[in-house]
């Protein structure tokens, strides 16, 4: 049973650039959520995708956007990178029809913006 | 708005001993659930235990148990017979809003198990 996978594991970008992070959900899951975890902090919810649409969104600017594909995998895009975007980006998946289902997390992508 | 407070930034425990991590929260929801997640140095966020707010019985998973005090909005995690593999960041979390399964996390407690 494949768990949540993310790529790449590490990434270095410069200010103003754009970045795309990828996530494949756990087998059988149809919903993907993205979180940003700054150093020394707890994860913060960015947004959730279900049926290829953004279903919920946290308090993040429009520079953060996403996409979900028919196979339920997802991408997180960040435009016009700022130094403050340096963080661990976590993807989590779940099965939405199970109300209040547990989320399962991937290993994360460490993004460093210089 | 949801709040989650973990007042112990760091804790340590001797191997085989018991340790309790504290968490207090606030929510306007009446029917909710709470989580403890563990994040070892490998960064993978791993579910430790889950508690449904409507259940009076405290959840237990092997060496991990919770003390859930609904009126006090307190949700502490007890780890018995601590093992070196328990060394990790521990996060308390609850859903961001009614019906959501997205989570609002506390700032975490760094637990070190000493041999």
């Amino acid at each position: 049973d494949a768990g949540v996978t993310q790529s790449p594991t590490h990434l270095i970008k410069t200010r103003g650039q754009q970045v795309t992070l990828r996530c494949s959900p756990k087998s059988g899951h149809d919903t993907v959520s993205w979180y940003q975890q700054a150093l020394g902090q707890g994860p913060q919810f960015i947004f959730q995708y279900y049926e290829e649409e953004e279903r919920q969104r946290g308090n993040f600017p429009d520079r953060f956007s996403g996409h979900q594909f028919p196979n339920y995998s997802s991408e997180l895009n960040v435009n016009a990178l700022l130094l403050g975007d340096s963080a661990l980006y976590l993807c989590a998946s779940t099965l939405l029809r199970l109300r209040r289902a547990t989320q399962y997390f991937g290993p994360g992508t460490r993004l460093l913006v210089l | 708005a949801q709040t989650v407070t973990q007042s112990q930034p760091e804790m340590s425990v001797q191997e085989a001993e018991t340790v309790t991590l504290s968490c207090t929260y606030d929510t306007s929801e009446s029917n909710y659930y709470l989580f403890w997640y563990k994040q070892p140095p490998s960064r993978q966020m791993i579910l430790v235990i889950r508690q449904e707010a409507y259940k009076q019985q405290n959840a237990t998973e092997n060496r991990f148990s919770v003390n859930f005090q609904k009126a006090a909005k307190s949700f502490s995690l007890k780890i018995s017979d601590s093992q070196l593999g328990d060394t990790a960041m521990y996060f308390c979390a609850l859903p961001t809003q009614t019906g959501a399964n997205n989570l609002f996390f506390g700032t975490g407690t760094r637990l070190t198990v000493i041999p």
Side-chain angles (χ1 to χ4, degrees):
Chain A
D1 182 14
V4 181
T5 60
Q6 293 185 244
S7 63
T9 56
H10 295 83
L11 205 51
I12 300 174
K13 292 286 188 178
T14 56
R15 278 183 303 173
Q17 284 190 314
Q18 179 263 343
V19 68
T20 297
L21 311 181
R22 295 175 176 82
C23 170
S24 290
K26 180 179 168 66
S27 178
H29 286 181
D30 58 8
T31 304
V32 173
S33 299
W34 288 91
Y35 293 80
Q36 180 194 65
Q37 186 178 17
L39 199 61
Q41 300 295 316
Q44 282 193 291
F45 171 63
I46 303 174
F47 45 53
Q48 182 184 66
Y49 273 84
Y50 171 68
E51 291 188 332
E52 303 181 45
E53 291 188 357
E54 184 181 293
R55 185 173 178 269
Q56 291 181 346
R57 189 178 183 94
N59 189 24
F60 278 81
D62 292 345
R63 298 187 298 110
F64 289 77
S65 64
H67 187 77
Q68 186 179 35
F69 299 94
N71 67 353
Y72 307 120
S73 66
S74 176
E75 289 182 348
L76 164 66
N77 301 293
V78 187
N79 294 322
L81 283 167
L82 304 174
L83 297 180
D85 295 332
S86 295
L88 178 67
Y89 288 86
L90 296 169
C91 168
S93 74
T94 191
L95 188 58
L96 196 66
R97 64 178 174 81
L98 298 179
R99 285 193 73 236
R100 310 189 303 176
T102 296
Q103 291 198 327
Y104 292 87
F105 285 81
T109 294
R110 175 79 66 191
L111 173 64
L112 178 61
V113 182
L114 301 176
Chain B
Q2 321 290 69
T3 63
V4 176
T5 302
Q6 295 182 249
S7 58
Q8 305 152 314
E10 295 190 21
M11 294 192 71
S12 61
V13 62
Q14 209 72 31
E15 194 176 5
E17 296 296 309
T18 295
V19 64
T20 298
L21 310 182
S22 66
C23 171
T24 57
Y25 64 93
D26 196 13
T27 177
S28 56
E29 308 299 331
S30 58
N31 187 17
Y32 55 93
Y33 51 115
L34 296 154
F35 296 93
W36 278 98
Y37 277 88
K38 162 186 175 181
Q39 188 177 39
S42 66
R43 307 179 325 202
Q44 183 103 32
M45 194 76 76
I46 301 165
L47 176 66
V48 174
I49 200 164
R50 167 180 170 145
Q51 173 77 44
E52 305 287 341
Y54 71 87
K55 290 186 178 179
Q56 294 185 338
Q57 186 172 9
N58 289 324
T60 300
E61 287 289 343
N62 301 313
R63 298 182 295 107
F64 299 88
S65 62
V66 300
N67 183 5
F68 175 49
Q69 303 289 330
K70 190 173 181 179
K73 293 185 177 177
S74 171
F75 182 58
S76 60
L77 175 69
K78 186 172 83 170
I79 306 174
S80 305
D81 185 25
S82 296
Q83 301 176 359
L84 296 179
D86 295 334
T87 293
M89 286 289 291
Y90 287 81
F91 293 96
C92 177
L94 77 162
T96 55
Q97 61 190 67
T98 304
N101 52 17
N102 299 302
L103 299 172
F104 185 90
F105 287 86
T107 53
T109 295
R110 182 177 302 279
L111 176 68
T112 302
V113 179
I114 303 166

